[in-house]
Amino acid sequence: MIKKFIFGKPIKTDAVVKDVEVFSNSELSFLNEKETDDAISFEYDLDVDDIVYGLGEVMGSINKRGGRYISFNTDTPNHTPTTPSLYATHNFLVIDGKKKFGIFLDNPGRIIFEVDYNNSKKLSIRCENKNFNLYLIDDCDSSYSITKEFLSIIGQSFIPPLWAFGFGQSRWGYRKKKDFDNVVKGYEKKNLPLDYICMDIDYMNGFRDFTINEKRFPNFKNYVKSLKDKNIHLVPIIDAGVKIDDKYSTYLEGVKNNYFCTNLEGENFNATVWPGPTHFPDFFKEDTRAWFGQKYKFLTDYGIEGFWNDMNEPSIFHSEYTAKFSKKKAITKDEKYFLDGKYCEYKTFFHNIDGNTVCHYDVHNVYGYFMTRAASEQLDKILDKRFLLFSRSSYIGAHRYAGIWTGDNKSTWFHLKQNVMMMPSLNMCGFLYSGADTGGFLGRCSRELLLRWLAFSLFTPLFRDHTALLTKHQECYKFKGEKDFQAILSLRYRLLPYIYSEFVKAVLNSDMYIKPLAFEYDDVNVRKIDDQLLVGDSIMVAPIVEKGKAERNVYLPEDMIEVKYDGCDFKLNKVEKGNHILNANLNEVVFFIRKGKLIPISKGGKNTAEVDFNNLELLGDGDQYLQYIDDGYTKDVKKENIRVLKKE
Ligand code: GLC
């Protein structure tokens, strides 16, 4: 049962799309609500064995106990185990104990969650913005059913085209056509698959959105076409800030039509990001959204079909106010308010929401969501087929419009493990098309780390190798011993019919694509496992996430079939329920097929277009597999596109 509770006068976030019955707030007494001048708080006593799932893009394990998490979208380059905020806000959590319930706080303001923090045995939630909707899901027998109920009220997740399920290469630092040619050649020469290359900020003219540097990309339309003829897509980045420049049409249009956020004086707010001084579009206004979204047509006219939206927390390097206030010796009480904490800039600009002026700070967490929504809504009108879009910042609701990547991680084993642990939480919040920067964004990626990371990421829908400016090159072809890379990458393409089918079925059924084991198995032993995951309905993975290791412990909650793939053969081995050790060399991937299930295997290909979805081998001991199949582009994604594959 889902119940809605209203606090104050919430703004419309459209996170929830189904009507939910409103109940009296007195029914929430078990959450011990307290209101003070500056917050509404809740507190709940946790039992020793209660597990707390959820919160999407946050650091830590699948079980959120022991952590302090702050919903406040932040551009942070340093993700440590205790980093409280990342780029997204996903305020859905499930408490799994004697009492089982889910809560979603549809609140765009800053929230502090403490979950058995410092062994307090309490779940405490402090909402700074006192105007919000709270949804409670109870009367369900499991965390999994609570999550499915939740997914059913927030609407269907974004589905990109088939090519977006291929492997993508990215690097901040590709500047000119030749850099992209080299990537294509590098992958071709080493016989490695590739479906898309991301274009980072240097393709633009001075980091101006919706421009192309024609000197560095002469005849861009032909170039886009020539790559598409090879089944390779270019995916340009779009940043949230619009450069202030009197000769730049996007800027001039924005000023003329009052599309930008305003400052304390009522003028357009000025903040510095990659292009230097910029204005931020006020994505809370429908006309701004329509305008900005239509701007993507500049690139679709060149044949572009995929984008990534960045810096949309929004990220601010510094603003007109930080500079002004920090120069002053005596700071007034009012100025102190703005300078308090490092989020001061967010208190100095404003949105126009339905005619009312609203401080950005109070609605900060939906800004990136509304940018991505602007893009997605218009791309849907501009293109007659599905497109790729993924965003750095997000909020629940954004999952209907785009996928996400998890931001600026590092080339460390810790970040690989973190990627594994975060995936189910993202899926709980509707972000099925998601993944991390494979190989790590900051730092130096070793060959071993990249191979192990690829061996995990090949199971995640967004499968992209991305790294930062000035880091060591991290393209697969840059490393010695291409055979190992061929072996790992080829598995993605051999599993593509399974991955695509399981992804779309999960979307159509308001389900998760990646789940914790405990969501399927009623087995005390799996409640603490956070480094093994269920991928789709038939596969369990147990990735190797430690340096120098070719083996690891794995727990099987039922008899399964172990599959070892080395680039050619699938070696199958029946394994009994219980504890085992798995071995996988750097050129091998080991995964498991669940009891009574099947997986379809293709012959693979150099890109998704080459994969034959019809001639499939079925592995496993099940009787039939329900395969979702379409042309990879249609917007008409429906359950009728499912066919039954039977074992002969
Ligand atoms: C941000 C993004 C990163 C990108 C960089 C340059 O740090 O998170 O992916 O490469 O900006 O655009």
Side-chain angles (χ1 to χ4, degrees):
M1 165 123 201
I2 310 179
K3 299 171 185 163
K4 178 175 175 178
F5 303 90
I6 304 175
F7 292 81
K9 286 202 177 122
I11 65 151
K12 212 166 150 305
T13 66
D14 293 332
V16 170
V17 290
K18 268 208 192 139
D19 282 341
V20 176
E21 199 183 331
V22 177
F23 283 75
S24 152
N25 291 1
S26 59
E27 282 217 21
L28 275 178
S29 56
F30 77 102
L31 283 178
N32 298 313
E33 178 208 331
K34 263 196 204 92
E35 181 166 356
T36 53
D37 281 352
D38 50 5
I40 292 182
S41 307
F42 302 94
E43 203 171 83
Y44 176 78
D45 290 324
L46 292 167
D47 268 346
V48 193
D49 293 328
D50 284 3
I51 293 186
V52 180
Y53 294 105
L55 292 178
E57 190 181 288
V58 292
M59 299 302 285
S61 177
I62 292 177
N63 184 356
K64 297 297 175 305
R65 282 188 87 125
R68 182 167 190 268
Y69 314 92
I70 303 183
S71 287
F72 204 72
N73 297 348
T74 305
D75 177 6
T76 172
N78 194 20
H79 310 169
T80 71
T82 56
T83 299
S85 313
L86 298 174
Y87 311 84
T89 287
H90 305 143
N91 296 326
F92 172 58
L93 58 164
V94 173
I95 290 77
D96 186 325
K98 272 181 220 108
K99 186 172 169 63
K100 295 188 199 326
F101 61 98
I103 318 174
F104 171 47
L105 289 135
D106 183 8
N107 183 336
R110 188 164 181 266
I111 305 180
I112 304 175
F113 293 92
E114 292 184 348
V115 189
D116 190 17
Y117 186 55
N118 288 334
N119 283 320
S120 66
K121 307 276 180 298
K122 286 188 189 315
L123 163 69
S124 73
I125 304 172
R126 185 175 190 276
C127 304
E128 287 186 15
N129 180 341
K130 300 204 274 181
N131 302 293
F132 60 94
N133 293 315
L134 186 152
Y135 295 83
L136 177 73
I137 307 173
D138 56 7
D139 284 341
C140 291
D141 57 4
S142 71
S143 295
Y144 189 21
S145 49
I146 290 171
T147 304
K148 283 199 277 192
E149 287 268 345
F150 175 64
L151 291 170
S152 76
I153 61 163
I154 59 172
Q156 188 174 301
S157 296
F158 168 77
I159 306 177
L162 177 64
W163 61 263
F165 288 85
F167 176 65
Q169 182 61 55
S170 186
R171 176 181 174 82
W172 175 17
Y174 299 153
R175 280 177 66 77
K176 47 188 184 309
K177 179 177 169 294
K178 196 154 187 282
D179 297 330
F180 292 83
D181 288 340
N182 287 340
V183 174
V184 175
K185 267 190 228 143
Y187 275 92
E188 267 172 7
K189 229 170 125 189
K190 297 264 174 106
N191 222 351
L192 294 162
L194 184 69
D195 264 87
Y196 61 95
I197 312 176
C198 289
M199 306 181 83
D200 210 317
I201 46 175
D202 296 297
Y203 79 88
M204 302 181 208
N205 243 329
F207 309 142
R208 290 167 185 83
D209 282 340
F210 317 115
T211 65
I212 287 161
N213 186 313
E214 283 175 4
K215 269 196 204 124
R216 290 191 244 127
F217 296 92
N219 213 340
F220 189 57
K221 198 169 185 169
N222 278 359
Y223 187 49
V224 174
K225 177 161 187 317
S226 68
L227 289 186
K228 262 208 234 170
D229 289 344
K230 294 181 174 217
N231 292 312
I232 293 174
H233 287 77
L234 288 176
V235 180
I237 195 168
I238 299 291
D239 282 356
V242 171
K243 186 177 172 75
I244 298 176
D245 169 7
D246 282 343
K247 293 196 184 71
Y248 170 38
S249 60
T250 304
Y251 163 78
L252 293 171
E253 287 162 22
V255 171
K256 186 170 155 220
N257 297 298
N258 298 322
Y259 288 148
F260 296 126
C261 298
T262 49
N263 65 12
L264 293 163
E265 285 82 30
E267 290 151 5
N268 291 331
F269 173 66
N270 187 337
T272 296
V273 206
W274 296 129
T278 61
H279 289 332
F280 290 132
D282 185 357
F283 293 114
F284 288 79
K285 286 166 54 175
E286 229 174 285
D287 58 349
T288 305
R289 283 209 297 271
W291 162 72
F292 196 85
Q294 275 296 322
K295 289 263 138 203
Y296 286 72
K297 191 166 180 306
F298 171 78
L299 287 151
T300 58
D301 282 348
Y302 283 99
I304 296 292
E305 294 170 36
F307 300 89
W308 45 315
N309 281 351
D310 193 20
M311 309 303 274
N312 50 357
E313 293 70 31
S315 175
I316 297 179
F317 299 162
H318 55 89
S319 80
E320 47 186 315
Y321 293 102
T322 20
K324 196 158 125 192
F325 293 154
S326 56
K327 270 189 208 126
K328 286 181 89 170
K329 289 213 175 73
I331 288 170
T332 66
K333 201 174 151 230
D334 277 356
E335 287 166 355
K336 170 136 189 357
Y337 165 77
F338 295 118
L339 282 175
D340 228 3
K342 64 180 188 182
Y343 312 112
C344 55
E345 289 96 347
Y346 294 134
K347 294 175 182 167
T348 64
F349 66 98
F350 300 86
H351 300 286
N352 182 327
I353 305 181
D354 301 328
N356 300 316
T357 304
V358 176
C359 180
H360 174 82
Y361 185 87
D362 295 328
V363 292
H364 171 69
N365 292 330
V366 287
Y367 185 81
Y369 157 28
F370 282 5
M371 174 197 181
T372 292
R373 176 177 175 177
S376 189
E377 279 176 341
Q378 298 306 319
L379 282 166
D380 202 27
K381 292 184 184 150
I382 297 166
L383 297 169
D384 56 4
K385 49 186 165 184
R386 303 201 302 261
F387 49 85
L388 169 60
L389 180 63
F390 56 99
S391 173
R392 190 169 72 177
S393 183
S394 65
Y395 181 89
I396 289 170
H399 69 286
R400 300 193 301 272
Y401 297 99
I404 52 172
W405 92 100
T406 53
D408 299 346
N409 59 2
K410 290 198 178 119
S411 301
T412 67
W413 293 91
F414 162 72
H415 281 88
L416 165 55
K417 170 89 191 287
Q418 182 60 63
N419 181 195
V420 176
M421 297 190 297
M422 198 189 279
M423 288 310 296
S425 313
L426 296 179
N427 274 254
M428 285 178 72
C429 299
F431 292 93
L432 271 52
Y433 190 80
S434 52
D437 285 352
T438 298
F441 179 71
L442 297 163
R444 190 185 167 89
C445 185
S446 69
R447 181 176 187 275
E448 181 193 4
L449 178 61
L450 183 56
L451 280 163
R452 290 296 187 211
W453 209 320
L454 292 166
F456 170 65
S457 289
L458 75 88
F459 293 98
T460 68
L462 171 60
F463 182 27
R464 178 181 76 140
D465 174 331
H466 180 48
T467 185
L469 190 69
L470 304 178
T471 57
K472 185 184 155 214
H473 272 266
Q474 189 172 293
E475 298 84 359
C476 298
Y477 60 84
K478 289 276 183 188
F479 294 87
K480 284 195 184 126
E482 65 258 34
K483 284 231 150 27
D484 294 356
F485 288 91
Q486 286 163 359
I488 307 293
L489 286 179
S490 67
L491 181 58
R492 170 64 165 220
Y493 289 80
R494 299 205 67 180
L495 283 176
L496 189 70
Y498 174 78
I499 290 172
Y500 186 63
S501 167
E502 290 302 303
F503 176 92
V504 178
K505 283 191 294 178
V507 171
L508 291 174
N509 294 321
S510 302
D511 205 338
M512 298 160 73
Y513 164 76
I514 294 187
K515 285 170 282 194
L517 266 52
F519 275 31
E520 285 280 3
Y521 297 101
D522 191 11
D523 172 343
V524 282
N525 298 318
V526 302
R527 283 173 71 86
K528 287 202 177 113
I529 294 181
D530 62 9
D531 61 353
Q532 296 176 215
L533 303 173
L534 295 169
V535 177
D537 191 41
S538 307
I539 287 181
M540 182 186 82
V541 295
I544 292 181
V545 295
E546 279 182 73
K547 185 176 185 288
K549 291 268 164 71
E551 57 177 42
R552 57 157 288 170
N553 294 326
V554 57
Y555 175 73
L556 270 52
E558 62 182 346
D559 296 353
M560 291 189 186
I561 297 174
E562 185 196 64
V563 183
K564 185 179 268 193
Y565 176 72
D566 62 4
C568 303
D569 299 327
F570 289 91
K571 288 190 195 106
L572 308 184
N573 181 21
K574 281 196 175 170
V575 190
E576 281 179 9
K577 174 180 168 152
N579 287 303
H580 297 272
I581 289 179
L582 74 77
N583 290 285
N585 294 325
L586 282 180
N587 66 334
E588 292 171 332
V589 184
V590 170
F591 63 95
F592 298 85
I593 305 177
R594 295 173 61 197
K595 197 182 168 81
K597 309 277 180 184
L598 286 177
I599 59 166
I601 298 282
S602 82
K603 300 240 166 339
K606 291 288 144 31
N607 51 58
T608 49
E610 268 190 15
V611 175
D612 182 350
F613 276 62
N614 292 308
N615 289 313
L616 303 169
E617 192 186 338
L618 292 171
L619 301 183
D621 58 9
D623 299 327
Q624 60 173 45
Y625 178 75
L626 296 180
Q627 184 193 15
Y628 176 86
I629 185 165
D630 63 17
D631 62 6
Y633 274 110
T634 179
K635 291 185 182 184
D636 196 15
V637 178
K638 50 182 190 222
K639 288 189 183 160
E640 287 74 50
N641 297 345
I642 291 177
R643 68 181 178 191
V644 183
L645 303 181
K646 288 205 170 144
K647 226 174 169 188
E648 280 165 13

